[in-house]
mmCIF file of all heavy atoms in Angstrom:
data_model
loop_
_atom_site.group_PDB
_atom_site.id
_atom_site.type_symbol
_atom_site.label_atom_id
_atom_site.label_comp_id
_atom_site.label_asym_id
_atom_site.label_seq_id
_atom_site.Cartn_x
_atom_site.Cartn_y
_atom_site.Cartn_z
ATOM 1 N N GLU A 179 -57.335 -51.852 -33.488
ATOM 2 C CA GLU A 179 -56.531 -52.385 -34.527
ATOM 3 C C GLU A 179 -57.288 -53.506 -35.322
ATOM 4 O O GLU A 179 -57.015 -53.713 -36.495
ATOM 5 C CB GLU A 179 -55.210 -53.015 -33.968
ATOM 6 C CG GLU A 179 -54.162 -51.933 -33.579
ATOM 7 C CD GLU A 179 -54.576 -51.145 -32.346
ATOM 8 O OE1 GLU A 179 -55.363 -51.690 -31.517
ATOM 9 O OE2 GLU A 179 -54.064 -50.029 -32.189
ATOM 10 N N THR A 180 -58.228 -54.181 -34.655
ATOM 11 C CA THR A 180 -59.008 -55.174 -35.361
ATOM 12 C C THR A 180 -60.142 -54.479 -36.147
ATOM 13 O O THR A 180 -60.597 -54.950 -37.174
ATOM 14 C CB THR A 180 -59.651 -56.185 -34.487
ATOM 15 O OG1 THR A 180 -60.350 -55.572 -33.365
ATOM 16 C CG2 THR A 180 -58.608 -57.103 -33.882
ATOM 17 N N ASP A 277 -45.833 -64.284 -12.304
ATOM 18 C CA ASP A 277 -47.058 -65.031 -12.677
ATOM 19 C C ASP A 277 -48.287 -64.482 -12.019
ATOM 20 O O ASP A 277 -49.325 -65.101 -12.044
ATOM 21 C CB ASP A 277 -46.913 -66.512 -12.295
ATOM 22 C CG ASP A 277 -46.169 -67.345 -13.349
ATOM 23 O OD1 ASP A 277 -46.186 -66.852 -14.487
ATOM 24 O OD2 ASP A 277 -45.661 -68.395 -12.987
ATOM 25 N N ASN A 278 -48.152 -63.315 -11.546
ATOM 26 C CA ASN A 278 -49.374 -62.643 -10.900
ATOM 27 C C ASN A 278 -49.738 -61.326 -11.558
ATOM 28 O O ASN A 278 -50.452 -60.535 -11.035
ATOM 29 C CB ASN A 278 -49.104 -62.438 -9.435
ATOM 30 C CG ASN A 278 -49.782 -63.418 -8.585
ATOM 31 O OD1 ASN A 278 -50.886 -63.817 -8.933
ATOM 32 N ND2 ASN A 278 -49.238 -63.711 -7.427
ATOM 33 N N LYS A 319 -41.430 -59.933 -19.356
ATOM 34 C CA LYS A 319 -42.288 -60.984 -19.904
ATOM 35 C C LYS A 319 -42.290 -62.223 -19.050
ATOM 36 O O LYS A 319 -43.308 -62.901 -18.847
ATOM 37 C CB LYS A 319 -41.770 -61.377 -21.302
ATOM 38 C CG LYS A 319 -42.732 -62.358 -21.980
ATOM 39 C CD LYS A 319 -42.392 -62.665 -23.403
ATOM 40 C CE LYS A 319 -43.389 -63.657 -23.913
ATOM 41 N NZ LYS A 319 -43.152 -64.133 -25.211
ATOM 42 N N VAL A 322 -44.921 -61.993 -16.387
ATOM 43 C CA VAL A 322 -46.320 -61.756 -16.790
ATOM 44 C C VAL A 322 -46.970 -63.118 -16.840
ATOM 45 O O VAL A 322 -46.442 -64.090 -17.408
ATOM 46 C CB VAL A 322 -46.331 -61.082 -18.162
ATOM 47 C CG1 VAL A 322 -47.749 -61.108 -18.697
ATOM 48 C CG2 VAL A 322 -45.807 -59.680 -18.061
ATOM 49 N N GLN A 323 -48.210 -63.146 -16.262
ATOM 50 C CA GLN A 323 -48.936 -64.390 -16.375
ATOM 51 C C GLN A 323 -49.484 -64.631 -17.737
ATOM 52 O O GLN A 323 -49.408 -65.683 -18.284
ATOM 53 C CB GLN A 323 -50.102 -64.360 -15.345
ATOM 54 C CG GLN A 323 -50.891 -65.603 -15.306
ATOM 55 C CD GLN A 323 -52.164 -65.429 -14.401
ATOM 56 O OE1 GLN A 323 -53.230 -65.104 -14.844
ATOM 57 N NE2 GLN A 323 -51.971 -65.458 -13.095
ATOM 58 N N TYR A 325 -50.863 -62.121 -21.540
ATOM 59 C CA TYR A 325 -51.273 -60.871 -22.203
ATOM 60 C C TYR A 325 -52.756 -61.045 -22.676
ATOM 61 O O TYR A 325 -53.054 -61.913 -23.449
ATOM 62 C CB TYR A 325 -50.403 -60.629 -23.432
ATOM 63 C CG TYR A 325 -48.910 -60.402 -23.047
ATOM 64 C CD1 TYR A 325 -47.975 -61.446 -23.199
ATOM 65 C CD2 TYR A 325 -48.478 -59.166 -22.646
ATOM 66 C CE1 TYR A 325 -46.675 -61.241 -22.892
ATOM 67 C CE2 TYR A 325 -47.154 -58.975 -22.322
ATOM 68 C CZ TYR A 325 -46.218 -60.018 -22.443
ATOM 69 O OH TYR A 325 -44.928 -59.725 -22.077
ATOM 70 N N LYS A 333 -60.400 -62.155 -14.910
ATOM 71 C CA LYS A 333 -59.310 -62.847 -14.127
ATOM 72 C C LYS A 333 -59.061 -62.149 -12.828
ATOM 73 O O LYS A 333 -58.815 -62.824 -11.839
ATOM 74 C CB LYS A 333 -58.047 -62.887 -15.030
ATOM 75 C CG LYS A 333 -58.065 -63.948 -16.111
ATOM 76 C CD LYS A 333 -56.714 -63.968 -16.842
ATOM 77 C CE LYS A 333 -56.895 -64.874 -18.058
ATOM 78 N NZ LYS A 333 -56.590 -66.298 -17.736
ATOM 79 N N GLU A 338 -57.377 -64.370 -10.030
ATOM 80 C CA GLU A 338 -56.417 -65.177 -10.765
ATOM 81 C C GLU A 338 -55.111 -64.456 -10.766
ATOM 82 O O GLU A 338 -54.063 -65.173 -11.028
ATOM 83 C CB GLU A 338 -57.071 -65.314 -12.157
ATOM 84 C CG GLU A 338 -56.530 -66.366 -13.065
ATOM 85 C CD GLU A 338 -56.412 -67.726 -12.435
ATOM 86 O OE1 GLU A 338 -57.250 -68.175 -11.679
ATOM 87 O OE2 GLU A 338 -55.401 -68.363 -12.823
ATOM 88 N N GLN A 449 -48.263 -44.511 -40.695
ATOM 89 C CA GLN A 449 -48.082 -45.957 -41.138
ATOM 90 C C GLN A 449 -46.796 -46.475 -40.664
ATOM 91 O O GLN A 449 -46.665 -47.581 -40.111
ATOM 92 C CB GLN A 449 -48.153 -45.997 -42.671
ATOM 93 C CG GLN A 449 -47.926 -47.410 -43.125
ATOM 94 C CD GLN A 449 -49.096 -47.828 -43.998
ATOM 95 O OE1 GLN A 449 -50.241 -47.409 -43.868
ATOM 96 N NE2 GLN A 449 -48.789 -48.696 -44.971
ATOM 97 N N GLU A 453 -46.071 -49.461 -37.949
ATOM 98 C CA GLU A 453 -45.302 -50.655 -38.282
ATOM 99 C C GLU A 453 -44.135 -50.915 -37.313
ATOM 100 O O GLU A 453 -43.860 -52.004 -36.906
ATOM 101 C CB GLU A 453 -44.824 -50.602 -39.738
ATOM 102 C CG GLU A 453 -45.798 -51.207 -40.651
ATOM 103 C CD GLU A 453 -45.473 -50.941 -42.120
ATOM 104 O OE1 GLU A 453 -44.279 -50.743 -42.547
ATOM 105 O OE2 GLU A 453 -46.399 -50.909 -43.028
ATOM 106 N N GLU A 457 -43.776 -54.193 -35.004
ATOM 107 C CA GLU A 457 -42.595 -55.035 -35.168
ATOM 108 C C GLU A 457 -41.951 -55.279 -33.848
ATOM 109 O O GLU A 457 -41.623 -56.421 -33.498
ATOM 110 C CB GLU A 457 -41.626 -54.326 -36.162
ATOM 111 C CG GLU A 457 -40.448 -55.172 -36.591
ATOM 112 C CD GLU A 457 -40.845 -56.466 -37.215
ATOM 113 O OE1 GLU A 457 -41.752 -56.452 -38.005
ATOM 114 O OE2 GLU A 457 -40.207 -57.488 -36.876
ATOM 115 N N LYS A 460 -44.065 -57.563 -31.681
ATOM 116 C CA LYS A 460 -43.979 -58.905 -32.127
ATOM 117 C C LYS A 460 -42.699 -59.561 -31.562
ATOM 118 O O LYS A 460 -42.701 -60.650 -31.162
ATOM 119 C CB LYS A 460 -43.986 -58.975 -33.642
ATOM 120 C CG LYS A 460 -44.290 -60.295 -34.253
ATOM 121 C CD LYS A 460 -44.898 -60.209 -35.700
ATOM 122 C CE LYS A 460 -43.885 -59.623 -36.678
ATOM 123 N NZ LYS A 460 -44.430 -59.480 -38.003
ATOM 124 N N LYS A 463 -43.334 -60.364 -27.930
ATOM 125 C CA LYS A 463 -44.304 -61.518 -27.731
ATOM 126 C C LYS A 463 -43.700 -62.864 -28.178
ATOM 127 O O LYS A 463 -44.057 -63.939 -27.598
ATOM 128 C CB LYS A 463 -45.613 -61.272 -28.418
ATOM 129 C CG LYS A 463 -46.471 -60.197 -27.683
ATOM 130 C CD LYS A 463 -47.858 -60.608 -27.535
ATOM 131 C CE LYS A 463 -48.580 -60.546 -28.886
ATOM 132 N NZ LYS A 463 -49.958 -60.989 -28.766
ATOM 133 N N SER A 464 -42.823 -62.832 -29.213
ATOM 134 C CA SER A 464 -42.333 -64.085 -29.699
ATOM 135 C C SER A 464 -41.080 -64.609 -28.917
ATOM 136 O O SER A 464 -40.650 -65.715 -29.108
ATOM 137 C CB SER A 464 -41.962 -64.045 -31.230
ATOM 138 O OG SER A 464 -40.810 -63.250 -31.360
ATOM 139 N N ARG B 266 -47.825 -52.917 -50.214
ATOM 140 C CA ARG B 266 -49.040 -52.109 -49.900
ATOM 141 C C ARG B 266 -49.445 -51.301 -51.165
ATOM 142 O O ARG B 266 -50.618 -50.956 -51.317
ATOM 143 C CB ARG B 266 -48.693 -51.109 -48.811
ATOM 144 C CG ARG B 266 -49.022 -51.724 -47.436
ATOM 145 C CD ARG B 266 -48.857 -50.696 -46.359
ATOM 146 N NE ARG B 266 -48.440 -51.232 -45.109
ATOM 147 C CZ ARG B 266 -49.356 -51.584 -44.185
ATOM 148 N NH1 ARG B 266 -50.619 -51.523 -44.385
ATOM 149 N NH2 ARG B 266 -48.986 -52.054 -43.039
ATOM 150 N N GLN B 280 -37.168 -63.823 -40.928
ATOM 151 C CA GLN B 280 -36.995 -62.981 -39.710
ATOM 152 C C GLN B 280 -37.073 -63.859 -38.519
ATOM 153 O O GLN B 280 -37.868 -64.793 -38.468
ATOM 154 C CB GLN B 280 -38.156 -61.949 -39.676
ATOM 155 C CG GLN B 280 -37.929 -60.693 -40.510
ATOM 156 C CD GLN B 280 -39.122 -59.749 -40.403
ATOM 157 O OE1 GLN B 280 -39.756 -59.680 -39.363
ATOM 158 N NE2 GLN B 280 -39.385 -59.084 -41.458
ATOM 159 N N GLU B 282 -38.314 -63.780 -35.573
ATOM 160 C CA GLU B 282 -39.532 -64.162 -34.751
ATOM 161 C C GLU B 282 -40.447 -64.933 -35.613
ATOM 162 O O GLU B 282 -41.184 -65.782 -35.098
ATOM 163 C CB GLU B 282 -40.194 -62.869 -34.191
ATOM 164 C CG GLU B 282 -40.595 -61.757 -35.237
ATOM 165 C CD GLU B 282 -39.488 -60.780 -35.542
ATOM 166 O OE1 GLU B 282 -38.328 -61.041 -35.267
ATOM 167 O OE2 GLU B 282 -39.853 -59.713 -36.070
ATOM 168 N N HIS B 283 -40.378 -64.823 -36.963
ATOM 169 C CA HIS B 283 -41.282 -65.601 -37.836
ATOM 170 C C HIS B 283 -40.843 -67.142 -37.890
ATOM 171 O O HIS B 283 -41.616 -68.007 -37.784
ATOM 172 C CB HIS B 283 -41.333 -65.034 -39.296
ATOM 173 C CG HIS B 283 -41.959 -63.651 -39.290
ATOM 174 N ND1 HIS B 283 -41.733 -62.808 -40.347
ATOM 175 C CD2 HIS B 283 -42.705 -62.992 -38.402
ATOM 176 C CE1 HIS B 283 -42.377 -61.636 -40.059
ATOM 177 N NE2 HIS B 283 -42.990 -61.769 -38.903
ATOM 178 N N LYS B 285 -39.003 -68.594 -35.811
ATOM 179 C CA LYS B 285 -39.217 -69.197 -34.491
ATOM 180 C C LYS B 285 -40.661 -69.702 -34.346
ATOM 181 O O LYS B 285 -40.917 -70.764 -33.881
ATOM 182 C CB LYS B 285 -38.885 -68.217 -33.433
ATOM 183 C CG LYS B 285 -38.708 -68.843 -32.087
ATOM 184 C CD LYS B 285 -38.419 -67.822 -31.001
ATOM 185 C CE LYS B 285 -38.616 -68.525 -29.685
ATOM 186 N NZ LYS B 285 -38.830 -67.586 -28.580
ATOM 187 N N GLN B 343 -59.145 -73.549 -20.333
ATOM 188 C CA GLN B 343 -58.511 -72.448 -19.656
ATOM 189 C C GLN B 343 -59.025 -72.345 -18.227
ATOM 190 O O GLN B 343 -58.205 -72.195 -17.282
ATOM 191 C CB GLN B 343 -58.886 -71.147 -20.435
ATOM 192 C CG GLN B 343 -57.999 -69.991 -20.026
ATOM 193 C CD GLN B 343 -58.437 -68.775 -20.855
ATOM 194 O OE1 GLN B 343 -59.561 -68.675 -21.389
ATOM 195 N NE2 GLN B 343 -57.623 -67.805 -20.919
ATOM 196 N N GLU B 347 -56.493 -72.986 -14.935
ATOM 197 C CA GLU B 347 -56.019 -71.709 -14.340
ATOM 198 C C GLU B 347 -55.451 -71.953 -12.923
ATOM 199 O O GLU B 347 -55.756 -72.976 -12.281
ATOM 200 C CB GLU B 347 -57.202 -70.754 -14.245
ATOM 201 C CG GLU B 347 -57.304 -69.810 -15.383
ATOM 202 C CD GLU B 347 -58.517 -68.894 -15.307
ATOM 203 O OE1 GLU B 347 -59.388 -69.208 -14.419
ATOM 204 O OE2 GLU B 347 -58.552 -67.900 -15.989
ATOM 205 N N LYS B 348 -54.727 -70.947 -12.452
ATOM 206 C CA LYS B 348 -54.106 -71.022 -11.100
ATOM 207 C C LYS B 348 -55.114 -71.365 -10.074
ATOM 208 O O LYS B 348 -54.862 -72.177 -9.241
ATOM 209 C CB LYS B 348 -53.418 -69.717 -10.834
ATOM 210 C CG LYS B 348 -51.989 -69.688 -11.227
ATOM 211 C CD LYS B 348 -51.179 -68.718 -10.443
ATOM 212 C CE LYS B 348 -51.860 -67.358 -10.238
ATOM 213 N NZ LYS B 348 -50.940 -66.317 -9.778
ATOM 214 N N THR B 349 -56.253 -70.663 -10.130
ATOM 215 C CA THR B 349 -57.323 -70.953 -9.092
ATOM 216 C C THR B 349 -58.425 -71.688 -9.795
ATOM 217 O O THR B 349 -59.538 -71.698 -9.401
ATOM 218 C CB THR B 349 -57.867 -69.670 -8.524
ATOM 219 O OG1 THR B 349 -58.230 -68.823 -9.615
ATOM 220 C CG2 THR B 349 -56.832 -68.978 -7.733
ATOM 221 N N ASN B 368 -50.557 -71.316 -19.775
ATOM 222 C CA ASN B 368 -49.674 -70.348 -20.393
ATOM 223 C C ASN B 368 -48.289 -70.868 -20.694
ATOM 224 O O ASN B 368 -47.320 -70.128 -20.612
ATOM 225 C CB ASN B 368 -49.577 -69.035 -19.593
ATOM 226 C CG ASN B 368 -50.958 -68.415 -19.320
ATOM 227 O OD1 ASN B 368 -51.836 -68.630 -20.174
ATOM 228 N ND2 ASN B 368 -51.036 -67.722 -18.251
ATOM 229 N N GLY B 450 -51.786 -67.863 -23.274
ATOM 230 C CA GLY B 450 -51.828 -66.476 -22.664
ATOM 231 C C GLY B 450 -51.180 -65.430 -23.570
ATOM 232 O O GLY B 450 -50.705 -64.483 -23.139
ATOM 233 N N SER B 451 -51.190 -65.720 -24.887
ATOM 234 C CA SER B 451 -50.575 -64.860 -25.852
ATOM 235 C C SER B 451 -49.064 -64.664 -25.608
ATOM 236 O O SER B 451 -48.503 -63.739 -26.104
ATOM 237 C CB SER B 451 -51.266 -63.475 -25.883
ATOM 238 O OG SER B 451 -52.511 -63.590 -26.479
ATOM 239 N N LYS B 452 -48.486 -65.502 -24.760
ATOM 240 C CA LYS B 452 -47.082 -65.386 -24.465
ATOM 241 C C LYS B 452 -46.257 -66.189 -25.469
ATOM 242 O O LYS B 452 -45.075 -65.999 -25.590
ATOM 243 C CB LYS B 452 -46.750 -65.822 -23.048
ATOM 244 C CG LYS B 452 -47.140 -64.818 -21.995
ATOM 245 C CD LYS B 452 -46.981 -65.346 -20.612
ATOM 246 C CE LYS B 452 -45.493 -65.251 -20.174
ATOM 247 N NZ LYS B 452 -45.391 -65.790 -18.806
ATOM 248 N N GLU B 462 -52.278 -61.958 -36.262
ATOM 249 C CA GLU B 462 -52.053 -60.626 -35.772
ATOM 250 C C GLU B 462 -51.757 -59.727 -36.927
ATOM 251 O O GLU B 462 -51.976 -58.509 -36.840
ATOM 252 C CB GLU B 462 -51.049 -60.627 -34.686
ATOM 253 C CG GLU B 462 -51.605 -61.311 -33.413
ATOM 254 C CD GLU B 462 -50.787 -61.108 -32.224
ATOM 255 O OE1 GLU B 462 -49.719 -60.474 -32.282
ATOM 256 O OE2 GLU B 462 -51.219 -61.628 -31.148
ATOM 257 N N GLU B 463 -51.035 -60.215 -37.964
ATOM 258 C CA GLU B 463 -50.760 -59.381 -39.102
ATOM 259 C C GLU B 463 -52.073 -58.866 -39.719
ATOM 260 O O GLU B 463 -52.173 -57.728 -40.188
ATOM 261 C CB GLU B 463 -49.977 -60.110 -40.202
ATOM 262 C CG GLU B 463 -48.536 -60.292 -39.865
ATOM 263 C CD GLU B 463 -47.782 -58.988 -39.448
ATOM 264 O OE1 GLU B 463 -48.133 -57.905 -39.970
ATOM 265 O OE2 GLU B 463 -46.848 -59.033 -38.616
ATOM 266 N N THR B 465 -55.317 -58.859 -38.056
ATOM 267 C CA THR B 465 -56.210 -58.237 -37.241
ATOM 268 C C THR B 465 -55.583 -57.010 -36.504
ATOM 269 O O THR B 465 -56.260 -56.056 -36.205
ATOM 270 C CB THR B 465 -56.764 -59.186 -36.188
ATOM 271 O OG1 THR B 465 -55.638 -59.742 -35.455
ATOM 272 C CG2 THR B 465 -57.542 -60.330 -36.818
ATOM 273 N N GLN B 466 -54.356 -57.095 -36.119
ATOM 274 C CA GLN B 466 -53.746 -56.032 -35.301
ATOM 275 C C GLN B 466 -52.893 -55.027 -36.135
ATOM 276 O O GLN B 466 -53.081 -53.863 -36.050
ATOM 277 C CB GLN B 466 -52.805 -56.640 -34.258
ATOM 278 C CG GLN B 466 -53.454 -57.699 -33.419
ATOM 279 C CD GLN B 466 -54.303 -57.065 -32.241
ATOM 280 O OE1 GLN B 466 -53.908 -56.029 -31.773
ATOM 281 N NE2 GLN B 466 -55.298 -57.748 -31.833
#
Side-chain angles (χ1 to χ4, degrees):
Chain A
E179 285 70 23
T180 53
D277 275 340
N278 255 329
K319 189 174 178 186
V322 173
Q323 184 189 95
Y325 295 100
K333 282 181 190 278
E338 197 48 38
Q449 177 128 331
E453 268 170 26
E457 188 56 43
K460 198 153 65 181
K463 287 223 292 177
S464 74
Chain B
R266 274 187 207 268
Q280 278 178 32
E282 60 272 17
H283 297 160
K285 195 180 164 202
Q343 196 182 18
E347 267 177 346
K348 265 204 317 196
T349 53
N368 305 331
S451 289
K452 283 173 80 181
E462 291 193 357
E463 285 307 327
T465 60
Q466 308 277 330

